[in-house]
Amino acid sequence: MLSRTFYARRRTALITAGAATALLTALTATPAQASPPTPVSAATARTYLSELTVRAEGSSDGYSRDKFPHWITQSGTCNTREVVLKRDGTNVVTDSNCAATSGRWYSEYDGATWTAASDLDIDHVVPLSEAWKSGASSWTTAQRQGFANDLTRPQLIAVTDNVNQSKGDQDPAEWMPSRTAYTCTYLRMWVQVKHYYNLTVDSAEKSAIQSGLSGC
C-alpha cells in the first residue's frame, strides 16, 4: 500500500507542474492587441446614420491639411502620432523624445504586422478632406485641430502606411479595408465620428454604409 506521504508528494508535484505550465503559457502567449476606443454598436450606428443629413459632397476649394493642425503635443514630449503608436502597439518602447524605437503593430485594415514605427501611418478614419467637404470648411481652426487629434472618438488608428495612402480621402462607397473581418468595426467608427461632429453624408456613402452595417 502506498503511503499518505507518497500521495502528498505526488499531489504537490502535480500542482507545481501545473503552476509552471500556467506561468509558461502566460509568458509566451501573444499579448492582446491594443486598439482605438471601441465604437458604438452596429444598432447604434444604424440609428446614428439615420440621423445624419444627406447632402451632396461639398467643394474641396480652400482645403489644406494645414487647416487641420496635427500632430499636436498631448503631454510632455509626446505628440498625437506617438500616443497612437504606443496605444495601438504591443511592447512599444519609446526614447526620451517619445519616439517609438521598437514594438509590434498589427494593421487592422490589411492584417499585416510591423515591428518598425516607420512602416505605419496614423489614419484619420474620416479623412480631413472628407470632413472639409462634409461640413468642416465652416469650422474654426481650433475645431479642426480637435478633430484631427481626437483620441476620445475612434477617429485615429495606426495602419500600414501604403494602405493609408491608397485610401486617401475616400469614403466607404469608394474604399473599404481589404480585411473584411474589420468591415463592421470600420463602419461603426466612421458613423460615430460623423455623427459626433455633425458631418453630412452623400447618398452613395450612406447607401454603402447601410449595406455594410446590415451584415453586422
Side-chain angles (χ1 to χ4, degrees):
M1 180 180 294
L2 296 174
S3 68
R4 290 183 180 180
T5 302
F6 171 83
Y7 284 115
R9 286 176 179 169
R10 186 171 183 272
R11 182 170 180 272
T12 299
L14 288 172
I15 291 173
T16 302
T21 300
L23 177 60
L24 180 61
T25 299
L27 290 174
T28 58
T30 301
Q33 178 63 36
S35 60
T38 302
V40 296
S41 68
T44 299
R46 285 190 282 269
T47 298
Y48 281 2
L49 182 62
S50 71
E51 296 170 351
L52 293 178
T53 298
V54 179
R55 182 179 298 154
E57 203 167 74
S59 170
S60 59
D61 289 351
Y63 168 72
S64 167
R65 288 179 67 85
D66 293 339
K67 293 184 177 180
F68 294 79
H70 64 289
W71 305 111
I72 63 170
T73 300
Q74 292 290 340
S75 64
T77 59
C78 301
N79 66 27
T80 307
R81 172 182 164 82
E82 292 156 346
V83 170
V84 175
L85 282 172
K86 188 166 186 179
R87 181 199 69 189
D88 290 3
T90 53
N91 302 320
V92 178
V93 176
T94 57
D95 62 19
S96 59
N97 294 317
C98 204
T101 57
S102 64
R104 180 178 178 275
W105 292 268
Y106 178 78
S107 172
E108 294 283 9
Y109 288 1
D110 58 331
T113 298
W114 304 99
T115 56
S118 59
D119 289 319
L120 297 139
D121 277 355
I122 306 304
D123 179 42
H124 290 95
V125 172
V126 176
L128 305 183
S129 176
E130 166 69 21
W132 177 270
K133 293 178 287 188
S134 303
S137 60
S138 64
W139 295 353
T140 65
T141 299
Q143 289 173 315
R144 288 192 288 264
Q145 175 176 292
F147 176 84
N149 297 275
D150 190 352
L151 295 168
T152 304
R153 263 63 54 183
Q155 162 67 344
L156 302 172
I157 183 172
V159 296
T160 303
D161 53 4
N162 65 326
V163 171
N164 180 53
Q165 290 152 24
S166 71
K167 171 185 172 179
D169 65 353
Q170 300 178 91
D171 67 35
E174 304 157 325
W175 186 93
M176 283 292 295
S178 61
R179 183 171 162 262
T180 55
Y182 205 62
T183 294
C184 288
T185 302
Y186 183 78
L187 292 175
R188 287 155 51 208
M189 294 164 79
W190 182 282
V191 173
Q192 181 178 348
V193 172
K194 280 225 162 177
H195 186 270
Y196 180 83
Y197 286 98
N198 197 30
L199 295 170
T200 62
V201 290
D202 62 50
S203 57
E205 175 188 355
K206 182 175 182 177
S207 178
I209 295 170
Q210 283 177 321
S211 178
L213 287 176
S214 68
C216 299

